[in-house]
Amino acid sequence: MRRIFQIGGEETECWLAHDGSRFVLNTPEGVLPCRLDPTTSPGGFVLRARGLVRDVRLAAGPESTFVHMDGRTYEVGRADPAERLAGSDGGASDDRIVAPMPGVVVSVAVKPGDIVAAGQPLLVIESMKLETTLAAPRDGVVAEIPFAAGDSFGLKDVLAQLAPEED
């Protein structure tokens, strides 16, 4: 089944298939043979693709999967093609940073009123023993940070909100 994924704010359509001997990831750029083997650590895997071998940790939520690799965290969001065809909310979701799974706030780097740039860290959360830095999805002004360090949050709770963009 083809899926649309959002990685680093960019969308790509891809799908996983099995060619009889291995998995292949089909992307707009071509076919990528790959292998993902579990390790003994929770959420731990070894990714093998194009001769590269990488240790990765995955934390999956209902709308995003966080991939921890090489000291960085990547959020892979999933877009529903049917919802896209039906229309969207006009970008309001770009203003909210929503919890992909329940967890605890480790630290908060900004406060309401702060001016932030796209990609700037806003807060660090811990979920399933993995720390993830959540960053600003766009340039803007922080409108709300409803949780403090040490606070627990639930699935889909708004962890940060940017002020709406002015036209």
Side-chain angles (χ1 to χ4, degrees), residues 21-38:
S21 63
R22 63 185 179 205
F23 284 101
V24 292
L25 180 63
N26 294 277
T27 71
E29 290 80 32
V31 176
L32 174 65
C34 57
R35 185 170 159 180
L36 194 62
D37 297 316

Side-chain angles (χ1 to χ4, degrees), residues 47-123:
L47 172 65
R48 291 175 172 82
R50 288 196 179 129
L52 298 174
V53 178
R54 295 284 191 268
D55 289 321
V56 298
R57 291 192 67 185
L58 304 176
E63 296 178 14
S64 294
T65 297
F66 290 90
V67 179
H68 304 271
M69 181 173 64
D70 296 334
R72 296 187 61 192
T73 300
Y74 304 89
E75 181 179 4
V76 181
R78 296 175 285 279
D80 183 343
E83 282 183 19
R84 173 158 303 130
L85 291 173
S88 68
D89 63 357
S93 64
D94 290 341
D95 293 338
R96 294 178 291 136
I97 292 81
V98 179
M101 60 193 75
V104 175
V105 175
V106 174
S107 64
V108 179
V110 295
K111 63 186 180 310
D114 285 354
I115 297 171
V116 295
Q120 179 178 337
L122 302 177
L123 62 156

